[in-house]
Amino acid sequence: MNPLLSTEGLTVHYGGVRANTGISITADAGEVVGLIGPNGAGKTTFVDAVTGFTPAQGTVTVAGRRVDTLAPHQRRRAGLARTWQAGELFLDLTVRQNIAVAAGRRPLRNLWNDLTGRREATHETDAVMAMFGLEPVADRRPGELSLGRQKIVGVARALAGTVRVVLLDEPAAGLDTDESAAFGEHVRTIAGSGPAVLLIDHDMTLVAGICDRVYVLDYGAVIATGTPAEVLADPAVRTAYLGSELVP
Ligand SMILES: Nc1ncnc2c1ncn2[C@@H]1O[C@H](COP(=O)(O)OP(=O)(O)OP(=O)(O)O)[C@@H](O)[C@H]1O
């Protein structure tokens, strides 16, 4: 089976800083793949490079199609979706509107329908809301929701439309233990519905609990890969995390 996402030799320079050095990874359909590493290891840079938000050398292939010469919005159309570390919700829009706008189909029409009380949201919007149990809060604004729910709306937004690969950049940051566990179940549900999921997170309990495989970055390069148990026992990984409160 061909992987849904593969990168070969992805390399990013920021001036003199080599933020990513020759990163090659794969992620299969239905798989949750973790990308971990100490602060500054290059994880967000990798997501930016894969999704086209920063210039990179190397190749990015989604479902057998090279996308590395495409603009970010074209990569999104090819099925490459992402979340942002800082969250990206429109605070003045309802949960439904946030997702409908991201679904990309006639967004102004959807917005108009919602503003005028008409319910003609796309199938994608309804399907995604149902998947995450968001119907009860469909007409609320993000600021009225718990942080955990807001994070889920952010992921739901990323998933609206056609998604083959979703890259989640620290989606569980700031969640408490229970919220993080519930969030993890949602991530497994996403993968179970077909896409490949790349999860970046510092929460080792979450990563170890839901990832099938993990890549570890340090100084912009992959230093270990394997199951969560394998990489967490790897001496090179433990050394990379030395002095960090995140020691697995
Ligand atoms: N726009 C930029 N310009 C210059 N250097 C950058 C830029 N973005 C990131 N860097 C540098 O690239 C390296 C990798 O940063 P990156 O944010 O990708 O790491 P990270 O693993 O995501 O870190 P964290 O876990 O703290 O989010 C760091 O040395 C960082 O200072």
Side-chain angles (χ1 to χ4, degrees):
M1 185 173 64
N2 286 329
L4 273 186
L5 172 68
S6 68
T7 68
E8 289 278 348
L10 218 62
T11 298
V12 177
H13 294 262
Y14 290 125
V17 177
R18 285 218 293 194
N20 279 180
T21 307
I23 299 181
S24 302
I25 72 150
T26 62
D28 291 328
E31 218 184 4
V32 180
V33 175
L35 184 67
I36 66 171
N39 288 115
K43 305 178 295 294
T44 295
T45 298
F46 180 73
V47 174
D48 289 343
V50 169
T51 51
F53 286 90
T54 200
Q57 295 162 278
T59 68
V60 180
T61 307
V62 175
R65 176 184 173 201
R66 283 275 299 274
V67 300
D68 44 80
T69 57
L70 303 181
H73 70 280
Q74 294 169 317
R75 298 190 201 198
R76 178 61 190 85
R77 265 191 235 134
L80 199 48
R82 70 173 293 180
T83 62
W84 299 84
Q85 240 183 50
E88 76 285 19
L89 299 178
F90 297 117
L91 298 178
D92 289 341
L93 301 186
T94 66
V95 167
R96 177 187 292 278
Q97 288 165 344
N98 264 282
I99 295 170
V101 168
R105 281 239 186 116
R106 301 180 303 168
L108 291 176
R109 172 80 177 273
N110 289 338
L111 198 55
W112 174 250
N113 285 340
D114 276 353
L115 290 172
T116 55
R118 279 199 248 158
R119 288 283 173 258
E120 284 183 22
T122 60
H123 170 71
E124 286 90 342
T125 304
D126 287 339
V128 168
M129 298 232 311
M131 185 172 177
F132 291 95
L134 290 171
E135 295 104 326
V137 295
D139 296 320
R140 303 256 200 96
R141 288 184 168 68
E144 300 170 51
L145 308 180
S146 68
L147 183 61
R149 265 274 172 75
Q150 289 183 39
K151 299 268 179 183
I152 286 167
V153 176
V155 175
R157 259 182 68 107
L159 284 178
T162 307
V163 173
R164 295 193 166 96
V165 177
V166 60
L167 300 99
L168 305 176
D169 193 358
E170 297 195 31
L175 300 188
D176 66 29
T177 313
D178 289 345
E179 286 176 327
S180 181
F183 189 86
E185 284 175 30
H186 281 299
V187 175
R188 286 273 18 149
T189 305
I190 295 166
S193 72
V197 178
L198 189 75
L199 171 71
I200 295 175
D201 216 283
H202 285 297
D203 179 345
M204 293 300 172
T205 310
L206 176 67
V207 169
I210 67 170
C211 290
D212 300 298
R213 288 187 298 124
V214 176
Y215 292 90
V216 186
L217 290 189
D218 194 24
Y219 293 110
V222 174
I223 59 162
T225 179
T227 64
E230 284 165 355
V231 299
L232 295 182
D234 187 317
V237 175
R238 301 196 76 81
T239 303
Y241 275 96
L242 213 60
S244 157
E245 79 277 16
L246 302 166
V247 170

